[in-house]
Amino acid sequence: MRTRPGSEAEMALPAATRAGAVGLCCRIAASASAPPPASPAAGGRRRRGERELPFALAERGMVVGGHRGMGMNAVGAPPGARVGAARERENTLLSLGRAAAHAAVAFVEFDVQVTKDGCPIIFHDDFILTQGADAVYERRVTDLLLEEFLSYGPQKESRKVSKPLLRRTGDGRVLNWSTEEDDSLCTLQEVFECVSPRVGFNIELKFDDNIIYHSKDLYCALQAILQVVFHNARDRPVFFSSFHPDATRMARELQSLYPVCML
């Protein structure tokens, strides 16, 4: 299935915003290969209106990003492990917001899936686990309705019942997914609304490597994600990434505003 760049989703974006987004993405791409700008001390001048780059990019020629926010959670990591349990849960507004608050961070990365009722949400794993009365229950994230997905973990409203969150380790054990500070699960819309517009977004399009997706299913999921991006990105730098070849190709065919990277 091929869809021209001028699709309905893309055309919904105002012309001025489209032009601004294209310009921002061009500057992001150029900054990755351009030499560091001359500092004022070295006699270099910054043009009026030119955005000051984060110090990591300006001084070291590199871009710093926050992976899943402040970093991924290694559930059950032994004491002294190189990657220990993080202070905050990954892929939450708390984690993304704290990463964005660092002056060196130019963008944050997070994983987006789409619920059964068509809402883009932030979660890395293909399955979500909880503890029942006498067993562990496992559900595929994309088989959940939005309300079901948000019922796992801490709740924004105290009157709502919270389902405990568990996580499977690399060796197959199922452990409590505990962090020093917790936060509720969230949607892509909330990330755009709550995370500082100063930072860019690396939106990873998350699909299960063990599933062969029909083109129409990929199309519906990507259109749901693109609608949220087009209506909320404004001047924020955005690019997409994915390990899924077909999703990467289709994301590029559906729009021409934002770069798409194959991981």
Side-chain angles (χ1 to χ4, degrees):
M1 175 187 299
R2 294 185 62 86
T3 305
R4 295 183 298 105
S7 64
E8 180 180 352
E10 182 175 344
M11 293 303 293
L13 194 68
T17 305
R18 293 177 62 191
V22 171
L24 281 167
C25 290
C26 288
R27 291 202 295 275
I28 292 172
S31 69
S33 57
S39 65
R45 288 185 178 180
R46 178 170 289 113
R47 289 173 295 180
R48 178 176 296 181
E50 182 176 274
R51 182 179 178 185
E52 184 175 357
L53 298 172
F55 72 83
L57 174 60
E59 296 178 6
R60 299 181 225 162
M62 59 187 284
V63 179
V64 178
H67 183 229
R68 306 186 201 175
M70 289 293 286
M72 69 183 195
N73 299 163
V75 177
R82 186 177 66 85
V83 179
R87 186 173 64 171
E88 50 280 293
R89 189 185 305 281
E90 67 183 42
N91 276 326
T92 59
L93 295 177
L94 176 64
S95 185
L96 295 168
R98 283 184 173 165
H102 282 262
V105 172
F107 70 90
V108 289
E109 180 270 353
F110 48 85
D111 305 281
V112 177
Q113 303 186 57
V114 178
T115 60
K116 188 176 181 179
D117 49 349
C119 182
I121 51 87
I122 313 301
F123 198 76
H124 174 271
D125 300 351
D126 298 315
F127 293 88
I128 194 166
L129 287 71
T130 193
Q131 180 68 53
D134 54 2
V136 172
Y137 295 96
E138 180 178 77
R139 298 281 305 278
R140 183 175 291 280
V141 173
T142 51
D143 286 341
L144 298 172
L145 299 174
L146 175 61
E147 185 176 1
E148 293 176 303
F149 171 74
L150 296 177
S151 69
Y152 290 82
Q155 298 297 294
K156 293 183 175 69
E157 301 177 28
S158 58
R159 63 181 179 82
K160 291 189 175 181
V161 177
S162 169
K163 296 177 184 175
L165 263 175
L166 309 179
R167 200 176 203 188
R168 196 182 304 279
T169 63
D171 58 11
R173 292 174 298 151
V174 176
L175 304 174
N176 286 324
W177 190 351
S178 57
T179 52
E180 292 181 24
E181 296 181 62
D182 219 336
D183 195 12
S184 57
L185 301 178
C186 64
T187 67
L188 178 59
Q189 176 82 28
E190 289 176 309
V191 173
F192 271 104
E193 292 172 349
C194 299
V195 176
S196 170
R198 181 191 69 83
V199 298
F201 283 170
N202 171 7
I203 300 176
E204 182 176 335
L205 307 170
K206 196 77 172 61
F207 294 94
D208 192 336
D209 294 334
N210 298 311
I211 291 180
I212 298 176
Y213 292 90
H214 294 292
S215 292
K216 65 179 179 63
D217 296 325
L218 287 176
Y219 177 86
C220 290
L222 292 173
Q223 282 285 47
I225 294 168
L226 289 172
Q227 286 289 352
V228 174
V229 174
F230 289 156
H231 289 131
N232 294 277
R234 297 183 176 86
D235 289 336
R236 186 192 300 273
V238 171
F239 63 99
F240 297 102
S241 61
S242 183
F243 286 96
H244 196 284
D246 291 338
T248 305
R249 173 184 55 80
M250 189 174 288
R252 184 62 186 85
E253 292 174 347
L254 285 171
Q255 57 84 42
S256 58
L257 293 175
Y258 304 112
V260 183
C261 307
M262 176 67 193
L263 297 174

